[in-house]
Amino acid sequence: MRRPGERPGLRLWWALCLALALPTLLLNITLRTWLPQGSVPLDMAVTGWPPLAQALVMRPDAGLAQPPWAWWTTAWLHGSTPHLLRNLAGLALMAALGTLVRPSRQAALAGWLAWPLTQLGMLMQPSLGSYVGLSGVLHAGVTVLALHAVMRPSRRPMPRLALPAVSPLAPSVAGLRLGGLALLAALAAKILMENPWAQALVASTSSAINVAPWAHLSGCAAGALVTGLLWVLAAGSRLARRCH
């Protein structure tokens, strides 16, 4: 049986994916007025970028002295066309995974909150003059979905005469939990292999830029932190209602 809030949660998750994808594409098109590929030159100081990109980028070396919108907008900027395409492909996978997992409103809200929190974690890399891209937020989103799948409560048994509310092809709760655990294990292994503690930037031939592995760790940590906090608040609220 479909749980209350499941369908609105999925819509909220799709809205998050669109809020990440559409401005990214529009910004890339707009920046082509100044830059041939619409991507920012990461090998150049931010002061040499087009004014629009300067206004939107988040700069870890500036600490908390950021424009308030930069915690969100920096995710829409990209350093190369392969960087953009890889992140959009990852975003499509995150949307598809959300459709399979069907996050609750609480999980979808965690995804929205993890977006700026991921960039906040980049302040722990003050050697970086800029940070752009969706990869950190994508890691946060996958972490949120994996934790939601693992913590998903069992469905209540349906009355005998009730018609099933979900497709018989939908994954079982046990299957979702196993899948969530596998995703968490894969994320942990990926972070350990990238070793974000060793260096701030790593050359990526597939993205044609130097990537910041700390962003992936920051995204996973942000997703886990917000998911855990909202879960504790929801559990406390349910307990308070029972006591009254």
Side-chain angles (χ1 to χ4, degrees), residues 126-182:
S127 63
L128 298 179
S130 63
Y131 167 68
V132 300
L134 290 167
S135 62
V137 183
L138 295 179
H139 280 72
V142 173
T143 300
V144 168
L145 290 175
L147 288 172
H148 173 67
V150 170
M151 297 187 296
R152 190 184 185 100
S154 300
R155 296 190 181 103
R156 295 177 181 176
M158 293 181 295
R160 291 183 179 179
L161 298 180
L163 294 176
V166 295
S167 167
L169 299 178
S172 65
V173 174
L176 286 173
R177 286 177 180 164
L178 286 175
L181 287 173

Side-chain angles (χ1 to χ4, degrees), residues 16-30:
L16 170 62
C17 294
L18 288 175
L20 290 169
L22 294 182
T24 295
L25 292 170
L26 290 174
L27 184 57
N28 181 265
I29 294 170
T30 303

Side-chain angles (χ1 to χ4, degrees), residues 13 15 28 39 58 65 225 227 240-241:
W13 188 263
N28 181 265
S39 52
M58 180 259 180
L225 178 63
T227 299
R241 287 197 299 268

Side-chain angles (χ1 to χ4, degrees), residues 37 39-43 78-86 202-211:
Q37 295 183 335
S39 52
V40 293
L42 296 178
D43 57 350
H78 286 79
S80 69
T81 298
H83 185 210
L84 170 68
L85 294 177
R86 282 172 60 85
V202 176
S204 171
T205 55
S206 58
S207 294
I209 60 169
N210 291 329
V211 300

Side-chain angles (χ1 to χ4, degrees), residues 106 153 230-244:
Q106 178 180 309
L230 292 181
W231 185 86
V232 169
L233 291 175
S237 177
R238 289 193 297 269
L239 180 61
R241 287 197 299 268
R242 289 174 185 173
C243 292
H244 291 285

